[in-house]
Amino acid sequence: MFYPLANTTWDDAEHSALQDVIASDRFTMGAKVREFEEKFADKFGKKYAIMTSSGSTANLLAISSAFHHPDLGLRPGDEVLVPAVSWSTTYFPITQSSLMLRFVDIDPETLNIDLNKIEQAITPRTKAVFAVNLLGNPVEADKLRALCKSHNLLLMEDNCESMGAKYDGEQAGAFGFCGTFSTFFSHHICTMEGGVVITDDRKMYDTMLSMRAHGWVRDLPSDTHLPLDPDPFVRQFRFVLPGYNLRPIEMEGALGIPQLAKLDGFVSERRKNGKQFQDMFNDLDFLDIQQERGESSWFGFAMILKGKMKGKRSLLVDAFKAAEIECRPIVTGNFLNNPVIEKLPHSVGSTITAAQDVDVDGLFVGNHHHPIPEQLARLRQVVQDVADKQ
């Protein structure tokens, strides 16, 4: 593949980290995971970070722990505002925690939740916003926080595609009460599989520690808000929350340490590629590209066809395949069009037009942590060749 969606970010440092774990003979979650968590929290300016087995389980841990947080007051049937375009496991943990999805359209420029449509979507049952920073592009944190504050809404972030993005100097994923990250292969850093949740809230952290590991209280500090049995023997198998097993393995934590140290360099190169992509594609009359807010970490490069290319995405997909350019839909497209929606309690809080355009006419190609001028040049030529034939 001349221009793949993603490629490896590993070198000898990661291979050495794996060998160290093998030599230790400790493969289940241990000291390396804790070290990675501490470094991650420090990197993103939060008190606490908790690693999970994936970005999807990071979302599950964050939402379910918020639901069981003693001070947040979430109840079954409460609504969570979500953008109509995201990954499937942005949505599933919400209904799996007995909450209700309420969909809001995306901004056609940023591809993030449309801040101008949030207020009209709020009902007396609306208690939270689960914002998504899509394809590296951060939400406008100041405006979104002001909206949440004025309506007493809990702000949480799915930042799985946007590690390293910033808005007004602040790290994406750190804008609200908690934020989630993914460390899957195609993302900004890679630990094989993996995810992280960050927060400043101690009760949220303790709740997540319990929810991540079966709902037990083993290893929780003595001053936790959760009930601890006075007998240390009994405490080992005392369960206080309806938890899961969302734990990472020690290799993933070990990999995260050198990967996190490289993150700034990775993002810097991605931003250089993003600037080149913008220069090449920003003024075409037959497609739109995602408009950056703040400092995108450019997960990938989105295109939404219009004008003479509208309705002709399949032609471009075929041309990309012939040119060895890997491409994908813009995540789920309009999630309301996915058949699984019939199984999810939900409502729609706004007109859904931009998300529908993305569903029909959107696609994206990858970005990398190193220069890709030849790949972008071929991408531009293929796009122009297809457009010239219309």
Side-chain angles (χ1 to χ4, degrees):
M1 185 65 67
F2 176 76
Y3 186 175
L5 206 67
N7 58 23
T8 184
T9 56
W10 291 6
D11 59 25
D12 289 346
E14 286 75 19
H15 297 151
S16 177
L18 290 172
Q19 290 300 323
D20 288 346
V21 174
I22 293 169
S24 77
D25 203 32
R26 169 66 187 258
F27 297 98
T28 56
M29 184 179 71
K32 291 297 183 182
V33 169
R34 288 192 294 274
E35 182 181 350
F36 174 61
E37 290 172 336
E38 290 169 1
K39 290 181 181 297
F40 200 95
D42 183 66
K43 176 69 176 176
F44 290 91
K46 291 293 184 180
K47 294 179 181 177
Y48 309 108
I50 183 165
M51 192 179 191
T52 65
S53 56
S54 70
S56 293
T57 58
N59 283 347
L60 177 60
L61 183 63
I63 296 295
S64 61
S65 297
F67 182 80
H68 289 287
H69 191 292
D71 301 334
L72 297 181
L74 294 174
R75 297 289 182 267
D78 285 348
E79 296 171 345
V80 180
L81 301 184
V82 293
V85 176
S86 186
W87 192 246
S88 61
T89 48
T90 299
Y91 308 116
F92 296 158
I94 293 171
T95 59
Q96 288 162 349
S97 297
S98 303
L99 300 168
M100 174 83 74
L101 294 160
R102 187 157 173 81
F103 287 91
V104 179
D105 201 9
I106 58 168
D107 182 315
E109 293 187 354
T110 68
L111 306 186
N112 291 326
I113 192 167
D114 191 332
L115 301 183
N116 295 319
K117 293 184 177 180
I118 284 180
E119 283 194 291
Q120 72 185 63
I122 296 170
T123 77
R125 296 303 304 271
T126 307
K127 303 299 181 184
V129 177
F130 197 25
V132 178
N133 304 307
L134 199 78
L135 295 178
N137 201 26
V139 296
E140 296 173 76
D142 52 351
K143 296 179 183 178
L144 183 55
R145 273 195 295 241
L147 279 168
C148 289
K149 183 177 181 180
S150 66
H151 294 280
N152 196 30
L153 301 178
L154 180 69
L155 174 58
M156 300 179 284
E157 283 177 90
D158 180 336
N159 196 52
C160 287
E161 292 181 345
S162 301
M163 188 184 295
K166 294 181 180 179
Y167 188 85
D168 197 21
E170 186 178 3
Q171 292 275 5
F175 298 154
F177 178 74
C178 63
T180 65
F181 299 77
S182 172
T183 57
F184 179 64
F185 170 73
S186 61
H187 293 198
H188 293 78
I189 65 173
C190 171
T191 64
M192 299 187 289
E193 295 273 1
V196 183
V197 189
I198 59 174
T199 187
D200 277 332
D201 187 88
R202 169 65 191 281
K203 289 182 181 178
M204 180 67 168
Y205 177 63
D206 284 5
T207 302
M208 289 194 294
L209 287 175
S210 177
M211 293 291 290
R212 178 176 66 173
H214 315 289
W216 64 20
V217 292
R218 184 190 298 184
D219 299 328
L220 285 177
S222 59
D223 63 344
T224 183
H225 71 284
L226 294 168
L228 298 179
D229 194 282
D231 183 341
F233 179 78
V234 173
R235 192 184 307 161
Q236 295 179 88
F237 280 7
R238 184 63 75 200
F239 300 92
V240 300
L241 291 170
Y244 308 91
N245 181 2
L246 310 179
R247 294 173 296 191
I249 60 174
E250 189 73 342
M251 281 183 172
E252 291 164 340
L255 287 165
I257 296 165
Q259 282 278 287
L260 188 64
K262 299 174 182 178
L263 176 62
D264 289 348
F266 291 165
V267 172
S268 177
E269 291 301 319
R270 283 175 172 270
R271 285 188 51 74
K272 291 175 185 177
N273 295 336
K275 179 62 166 60
Q276 187 176 359
F277 173 77
Q278 289 173 303
D279 291 343
M280 287 179 159
F281 286 84
N282 212 21
D283 295 320
L284 301 179
D285 62 2
F286 53 83
L287 62 79
D288 289 323
I289 66 171
Q290 187 181 33
Q291 296 300 304
E292 181 181 26
R293 296 292 185 265
E295 299 175 29
S296 176
S297 56
W298 291 107
F299 178 92
F301 303 129
M303 295 171 275
I304 301 92
L305 306 181
K306 66 179 183 179
K308 64 182 180 180
M309 284 295 293
K310 189 172 180 62
K312 299 176 181 178
R313 182 175 61 182
S314 62
L315 298 178
L316 194 56
V317 170
D318 289 344
F320 282 169
K321 184 177 180 180
E324 295 189 334
I325 298 171
E326 197 169 9
C327 65
R328 293 287 188 274
I330 296 178
V331 283
T332 63
N334 177 8
F335 192 75
L336 291 162
N337 290 338
N338 286 266
V340 71
I341 197 66
E342 297 178 2
K343 303 181 184 300
L344 306 177
H346 71 281
S347 62
V348 179
S350 76
T351 56
I352 306 292
T353 54
Q356 186 61 23
D357 289 340
V358 162
D359 195 86
V360 175
D361 286 308
L363 75 167
F364 83 97
V365 298
N367 189 14
H368 297 278
H369 61 287
H370 53 77
I372 51 172
E374 295 178 1
Q375 287 78 8
L376 290 173
R378 181 180 291 188
L379 177 72
R380 180 67 181 82
Q381 187 61 57
V382 171
V383 168
Q384 190 65 56
D385 287 347
V386 173
D388 287 346
K389 294 175 182 177
Q390 306 312 309

